[in-house]
Structure formats: structure tokens, C-alpha cells
Amino acid sequence: MITTVNLATPGHPHVGPLLIVAPVLAAVTLGPKLTALTGVLALADQVIFAVLLKDLHSAERVTQLFAVVAATAFAALLAGTRERKVRELTRVRQVSEIAQNLVLRPLPPRMGPLRVAAVYLAAEREMHIGGDLYAAARTADGTRLLIGDVRGKGLTAVSDAALLLSAFRGSAHRQTGLAELTAYLDASVCWNLAEPGEDDLAQECFVTAILIDIPDHAPSVQIVHCGHPPPLRLHQGQATALCAHQAGLPLGLQLDKPSHRVDTFDFGQGDLLLLYTDGVVEARNSRGDFYPLADRAAAWRGQHPEELLEHLRTDLLAHAGGRLEDDAAMIALERPAGRHNRRGTPHEPPSTTAPWQMIYTCFRRYALSGVFAQALQQIPAEAAATGRKGGRAGPTNRVNRVNRTIRPLGLLITPGQRPAEEWGGGSVSRRPVAGRRPG
């Protein structure tokens, strides 16, 4: 555009000096090579203007040419620095995602009879992990989960979260009570704070947490509260907070005799359990109001845990204006309605086989049963041999008639053979029959 204006008005005004802006603007979005190419084109335009106006050797034109060259060099350097920073930021994000997957492993969608979903929202924009934590493990007869919040956020809380998660994954599968497991995790956090060089932070670090144990075949849930917000149970459109009968203390306070009480609550078929951290309920809007998690969860009318968390995540970010001041994590657990087998997974729905297929299957099984084979034993081998000599013996004809009857089943009877033990007697053999597919 600058070139067109300058050619259309060869006299005044002189817009040629504005070409110095071209490489600078190119450095905002383009790489160093394209930025340098833009500067070369701007310099070529300046030379063309100078030849057309016949002032190539004037001091003003020479100054403009040197200004374009200097601006191009500076813009190319700036574009290279910007691209290098973008690559470094991309690598940092990738490392952050890898660290999150190592520390906060994604929860499987099914754990025994439970449907599981989880979501994590970090307070730092360029980070995907912080002080909130969660983990789950299967035991011989149930599922155990941990959700917690380490004091602080960002990288300062990642090491403590990683230690607690590692201790939980290494001990949750053991056949110990929930109170003993909580005591072990508390001791693990205290041991970490007692490491050399941690004296200044030992009195300031702690972890609020909740541990739950959900048996596969009992409509209940056991919970140990360690200074953490109580979970919500969604039942028939109502959200009930499962508060502790006796409030517990956070982990890592280095008490001589910590007490951890196990509370039992109902958790039947069709119920949904919502675990969360304080970053969810402490999110504020522009008026300073806290996020009403219980009301929003009770108003939800969906069916699956992942749908609930997606609804709450969108609603939470809209309430907080798109950015949270603290890390936030949520876990939704559902015990589906229906009978469950011994392994804890729901039974498959009954088969929709057509009636004629069921009759065919039953008759085929009866043909292979011991009752049918015992009936075949009435055809002695000697009579069959006599029938072959005499030409038209009764037993042989009976064998032929039976073969014609069971031919559609892909079975044949061979006269004179010993009964097969696996059929309980009788000499039934599975032979492919022409025009029939073996069963």
C-alpha cells in the first residue's frame, strides 16, 4: 500500500520513510527468514523510489536506506528470539503434561462396579499440575480413593503431592483398615518434612485429604476425613454432604498420637459420590460470592459422572470469570443400578436370541447328551455286522433312519464302533455333512 501511494503521488507527500515499519510488523507474526525477506522488499522499494525520483545519492534517501537495513536486522533478531521463546514454552508445556501423567495418573472409567471420572484445573495458566492430588486403587473386594490438597500451589507443592501419591499407591492394596492406611500416609508426610533442609518449612506444610473405601457388594462407603471438605452424595436429585462425626486433622502435623476415625455412610445403587478440593467451593465471582457447588450439583439432571464433571467445570469457570485463584480437582463416582457378578462388574443384558434358535440349540445339546447316547447303545455291533451280511437287517436300517434324523445337526452314527467316553456312551461322530455347516 505504501508503494502504491508513493507511486501515485511522485511529488508530495513523501510516504517512502514509512517502509521502515514493514519488517517491524512482520516480526510480530513471521519468522526471522520471512522478516528479513520483508525488509529486503522494503529496501528494494526505497531504491525504486530513489531511481524514479532521481535522488538516489541524496543524503535524505541514503538515510532512509540505512534506516530500513537497521530496522530489518533488528526485526529479524526479534523474530528469532520470539520463535525460540515459543519453542521453549511448548517444551515446558509438554514436560508439564508428562509430569502430570506421572504424578496424577488418569483414573480409569471403570473400577469394579463403579463408574469413575475426574477433572483437574490448575491455577497457573502455563501449568497442568499443582498442589491438588487424587489417586485410586483396587483391593480384593473394593475400591479405595484419595483426594487431597497440599498447602500452596504450583511447583512448590508438587514434590509433597508426589510423595503422598506414591505412598498411597504402594499401600492402598494391602489388606489393612482405612484408619491404619491413613496413619501410614500421615507418617510418610511427616518423614518427608523431617528431611534435612526442610526445618524452615516443616511447620508450615500440611495436606488436607479424604480417604474412602467402597466395597463392591455392600451399599455403603467408609470415609476418613483429614481436614478436607466433605464429599457430596447425589441421591434422587438431592445433594447431601457426608460430614464427619468427629473432625479430623490434616496430614503432616507431626502429632504424637494422631487419631483417624472411620465414618460409614450409605452409598447404594444409582447414587453418585462427588469428591472435590477447596479450590472449587472457594472460587469467587465478580461480586465475591463463593461457588454454590451443592446447589449446582443437585440441579444437574444427567446420567453419567463424566457429564456431571463437564457441566460443573464449565459452570465453575463461568462463575470465576474464566480463571481460578487456586487449584481445583473433582472426582465423580457412580454405583450403577443392576445386579453384579462376583467380580464386581455388571451382568450383561439377557440375550435376544430368536425362539427357533433356542429350540435348535436345546435339541442339539440333547442330541449330544448322555440320554441320547444311551439310546444308541441299543444298536449292538454284532447285529449291525449281521445286517451287512444279510443285506437288509433291522439295526442297520435303524442306524440309517437315525442318521437321516440327525443329519441337519452335522452328526453321523457309525455302526460297529465303541461308544465314545466323552459323550457318555454311543458312537456319535461329528462329520461334515454335504450342504450343511457343522454346528
Side-chain angles (χ1 to χ4, degrees):
M1 185 178 66
I2 297 175
T3 303
T4 303
V5 173
N6 206 13
L7 291 176
T9 58
H12 295 281
H14 295 292
V15 294
L18 295 180
L19 288 173
I20 195 176
V21 181
V24 177
L25 293 179
V28 177
T29 56
L30 301 180
K33 294 182 179 180
L34 293 179
T35 301
L37 178 60
T38 304
V40 171
L41 294 177
L43 183 63
D45 287 345
Q46 283 282 14
V47 174
I48 294 174
F49 295 156
V51 171
L52 293 177
L53 298 177
K54 300 178 180 180
D55 59 351
L56 181 61
H57 301 287
S58 64
E60 180 181 2
R61 185 64 64 180
V62 172
T63 303
Q64 293 179 6
L65 293 177
F66 276 107
V68 172
V69 172
T72 300
F74 174 77
L77 180 62
L78 183 63
T81 304
R82 180 184 55 81
E83 279 200 342
R84 185 171 62 256
K85 295 297 183 181
V86 170
R87 288 194 298 268
E88 292 178 357
L89 181 59
T90 302
R91 287 195 295 267
V92 169
R93 288 178 176 176
Q94 293 174 351
V95 171
S96 177
E97 292 177 358
I98 295 174
Q100 181 187 23
N101 292 331
L102 292 176
V103 178
L104 288 179
R105 300 175 185 174
L107 300 183
R110 295 298 294 259
M111 298 194 71
L114 303 176
R115 291 194 178 103
V116 184
V119 64
Y120 189 95
L121 300 173
E124 301 292 339
R125 286 183 177 270
E126 305 302 334
M127 295 181 59
H128 299 271
I129 187 173
D132 289 4
L133 56 95
Y134 55 78
R138 284 286 296 166
T139 61
D141 55 355
T143 303
R144 286 179 172 177
L145 288 100
L146 164 70
I147 186 170
D149 184 7
V150 180
R151 180 185 179 276
K153 59 183 179 180
L155 293 177
T156 58
V158 171
S159 61
D160 294 333
L163 173 85
L164 183 58
L165 290 173
S166 178
F168 174 80
R169 296 187 182 110
S171 58
H173 65 280
R174 299 177 182 175
Q175 297 299 322
T176 57
L178 201 59
E180 291 77 7
L181 175 61
T182 307
Y184 173 77
L185 297 180
D186 187 17
S188 299
V189 176
C190 293
W191 292 335
N192 179 61
L193 297 179
E195 290 291 331
E198 300 288 345
D199 295 337
D200 297 336
L201 301 177
Q203 301 300 326
E204 300 180 2
C205 294
F206 57 86
V207 182
T208 64
I210 276 186
L211 287 92
I212 69 172
D213 191 349
I214 304 177
D216 291 340
H217 307 291
S220 62
V221 55
Q222 295 181 344
I223 302 178
V224 174
H225 298 76
C226 300
H228 200 78
L232 297 177
R233 182 186 61 198
L234 304 182
H235 177 73
Q236 296 181 355
Q238 296 183 353
T240 304
L242 305 183
C243 300
H245 295 89
Q246 180 180 355
L249 297 176
L251 305 177
L253 294 183
Q254 301 183 4
L255 300 179
D256 294 335
K257 295 182 179 180
S259 59
H260 304 288
R261 178 190 175 106
V262 179
D263 298 310
T264 303
F265 302 92
D266 295 333
F267 184 54
Q269 296 180 358
D271 291 351
L272 194 145
L273 194 65
L274 179 61
L275 311 176
Y276 56 94
T277 59
D278 56 0
V280 177
V281 293
E282 293 180 358
R284 297 174 181 264
N285 58 11
S286 57
R287 299 188 302 270
D289 300 328
F290 290 111
Y291 180 69
L293 177 62
D295 297 338
R296 302 296 172 85
W300 176 72
R301 292 295 179 266
Q303 296 181 353
H304 302 292
E306 56 272 13
E307 296 177 0
L308 171 62
L309 292 189
E310 181 61 26
H311 167 74
L312 293 177
R313 174 183 176 276
T314 304
D315 190 56
L316 175 63
L317 292 176
H319 178 85
R323 183 175 182 179
L324 301 177
E325 297 298 330
D326 193 7
D327 302 326
M330 291 181 287
I331 301 177
L333 308 168
E334 181 189 14
R335 189 191 293 273
R339 297 183 299 110
H340 295 83
N341 55 29
R342 296 181 62 183
R343 297 180 63 182
T345 57
H347 280 294
E348 296 294 333
S351 175
T352 56
T353 307
W356 68 269
Q357 293 178 341
M358 297 177 61
I359 296 175
Y360 174 81
T361 303
C362 294
F363 180 73
R364 180 167 169 264
R365 291 180 180 178
Y366 174 77
L368 297 178
S369 65
V371 177
F372 189 78
Q374 291 177 4
L376 296 178
Q377 290 180 353
Q378 298 178 2
I379 307 177
E382 294 80 8
T386 304
R388 286 195 298 271
K389 294 179 181 180
R392 294 182 60 85
T396 302
N397 292 334
R398 277 185 286 172
V399 169
N400 294 333
R401 287 197 298 270
V402 172
N403 277 337
R404 286 195 300 269
T405 303
I406 67 176
R407 182 179 295 271
L409 303 177
L411 304 173
L412 287 178
I413 302 173
T414 303
Q417 293 183 352
R418 296 292 298 174
E421 295 181 357
E422 58 269 25
W423 305 120
S427 55
V428 181
S429 62
R430 296 179 61 87
R431 295 182 180 179
V433 180
R436 291 287 180 181
R437 182 180 177 182

